[in-house]
Amino acid sequence: YQAGPLFSEAEKAFHRRLSAALRAAGHTVVWPGDLLTDAQIATAGPAAVNLIFTACKQALDRAGLVVALLDGTQVDDGTAWEIGYAHARGLPVYGLRTDSRMAGETPHSRVNSMIQGCLAGLAGSVDEVVGMIPAT
């Protein structure tokens, strides 16, 4: 399961690049950006909130691990929820932070301690995170 914000064209482009690299390494990738179309969300109206939540949670329930994009001044709130949910289920979570800003509480943390504490690994590049993930 590939987690991370997907609200800007830059974020979507980065996720496409990450998905392609993971697939090229032989991994199956499920990304929330591919779960529902814009038309499905628009048609759902007020029920879109539950539609998005249910689709993402069901995908996480089927996942064997999570790769999470952690860039930004703080981790995206939806991504933080996905990380916590995966961690509670015992899934390995691999973080990817290409952002040079430090976003943790200590000089030794790169992101919030509650996020970093859930991670099986924290990479600084797409190639590095792909290399951390065990072959399937």
Side-chain angles (χ1 to χ4, degrees):
Y1 183 91
Q2 184 175 319
L6 49 100
F7 304 103
S8 72
E9 284 302 314
E11 290 165 343
K12 291 175 188 176
F14 190 87
H15 276 290
R16 284 190 290 274
R17 178 175 162 230
L18 176 57
S19 292
L22 290 166
R23 287 185 178 109
H27 302 289
T28 300
V29 178
V30 175
W31 177 52
D34 293 334
L35 293 175
L36 299 165
T37 66
D38 290 341
Q40 287 173 301
I41 293 168
T43 301
V49 171
N50 193 51
L51 180 68
I52 294 166
F53 174 80
T54 300
C56 292
K57 183 178 174 296
Q58 287 174 346
L60 273 165
D61 288 339
R62 292 187 301 269
L65 62 87
V66 172
V67 175
L69 180 59
L70 307 176
D71 286 349
T73 55
Q74 62 184 32
V75 174
D76 170 71
D77 50 357
T79 305
W81 185 91
E82 291 163 326
I83 290 168
Y85 184 74
H87 180 74
R89 290 193 54 241
L91 295 177
V93 179
Y94 296 90
L96 172 56
R97 183 165 177 85
T98 67
D99 198 321
S100 63
R101 296 171 288 187
M102 300 306 277
E105 300 87 345
T106 76
H108 306 287
S109 50
R110 293 184 53 205
V111 295
N112 178 285
S113 295
M114 298 305 289
I115 298 298
Q116 196 163 333
C118 292
L119 302 179
L122 179 57
S125 71
V126 170
D127 290 340
E128 187 181 359
V129 78
V130 169
M132 287 181 173
I133 301 169
T136 53

